[in-house]
Amino acid sequence: ITAEQKKKEEEKQKAAKDAATREIKKRNLAAKQRIADAQNARQQEISRLFKQAKSKLATKEFNAAISDAQKIINSPETGWITKWRAKRLLNKSQKGLRQNNIDKLKTNMKNKLWKFIDDKGTFTSDTAHQINTLYFPLCNSTSLASFENFSRYFSILNIVVY
C-alpha cells in the first residue's frame, strides 16, 4: 500500500468518524428537543388547568375547581409556587363549597319549616310530617314562662307537650 492510498484511507475513516459524530449529535439534539417539548406541553397543561380552576371558582363550580387544583398539586412537574397557588385555590374552593352548603341549608330552613300568616304568631307548616321537633320560646311579653298557656294551646291541637 502506498502512502497516497494510506492517506485516502485515513481521510475516509476520518470522514466516516465525523459523519457518525454529527449523526450522534443530531440524534442527541433531537432527543433533547423532544424532552423539552414534552416538558413544555406538561407546563402548558398545568397552566391551562390552573386557569380553568380559577374560572370554575369564579363561576362557583367548586367541585370542578377542587378537582383541577388537586390535579395540579399532585403533578410531579409542578413547581413549588404553582403548587402553593393551587393549594390556595383549593382552600378557597372548599370554603366556597362549605358556604354554599350552609346557604342552601339556611334557605331550606326558611322556606320549609313554617310560615307565619299574621302578626299574632299564627303559622302554618306544610312539611310538619318531616319535622321531628320544633322549638317554641315559652315566654310572654314580660319574659315570664307561660308553659300553662302553651300546654293549653297544644292540647287543643292534640299535640303532646313534654
Side-chain angles (χ1 to χ4, degrees):
I1 299 178
T2 64
E4 193 175 297
Q5 288 176 338
K6 274 186 176 182
K7 193 175 181 181
K8 284 184 180 181
E9 188 64 34
E10 286 175 1
E11 286 177 5
K12 283 183 184 179
Q13 287 177 353
K14 187 177 178 184
K17 187 177 178 182
D18 289 344
T21 304
R22 281 193 304 273
E23 185 63 31
I24 289 171
K25 286 181 180 179
K26 187 177 177 182
R27 287 182 185 177
N28 285 343
L29 185 62
K32 285 180 183 178
Q33 186 63 40
R34 283 193 302 273
I35 290 169
D37 289 345
Q39 189 174 14
N40 190 22
R42 287 191 296 266
Q43 288 298 326
Q44 286 178 350
E45 176 65 15
I46 289 169
S47 177
R48 185 194 63 76
L49 275 174
F50 190 78
K51 288 177 184 174
Q52 180 177 321
K54 282 177 64 175
S55 136
K56 297 289 183 183
L57 179 62
T59 59
K60 299 189 180 210
E61 296 176 45
F62 300 115
N63 289 326
I66 289 170
S67 174
D68 290 343
Q70 200 63 47
K71 287 177 188 175
I72 294 168
I73 293 167
N74 293 338
S75 175
E77 293 87 17
T78 306
W80 70 270
I81 291 176
T82 307
K83 281 190 182 191
W84 176 74
R85 290 175 67 202
K87 286 178 183 177
R88 286 185 61 211
L89 189 73
L90 177 69
N91 289 338
K92 286 180 182 179
S93 299
Q94 289 171 338
K95 184 178 178 181
L97 186 61
R98 282 192 301 272
Q99 188 61 45
N100 194 25
N101 289 339
I102 289 170
D103 292 345
K104 283 182 182 177
L105 285 174
K106 285 180 180 177
T107 301
N108 287 344
M109 288 180 70
K110 284 181 185 176
N111 295 338
K112 292 190 177 181
L113 292 179
W114 60 80
K115 179 180 177 185
F116 290 100
I117 56 175
D118 63 18
D119 291 338
K120 296 178 186 177
T122 308
F123 65 92
T124 61
S125 177
D126 297 329
T127 58
H129 62 283
Q130 296 175 345
I131 301 170
N132 293 333
T133 58
L134 289 176
Y135 168 75
F136 295 100
L138 303 177
C139 295
N140 58 19
S141 61
T142 59
S143 300
L144 299 174
S146 58
F147 184 75
E148 192 175 298
N149 292 334
F150 184 74
S151 298
R152 209 174 307 135
Y153 174 73
F154 278 97
S155 65
I156 294 170
L157 298 174
N158 292 326
I159 297 174
V160 178
V161 178
Y162 297 101

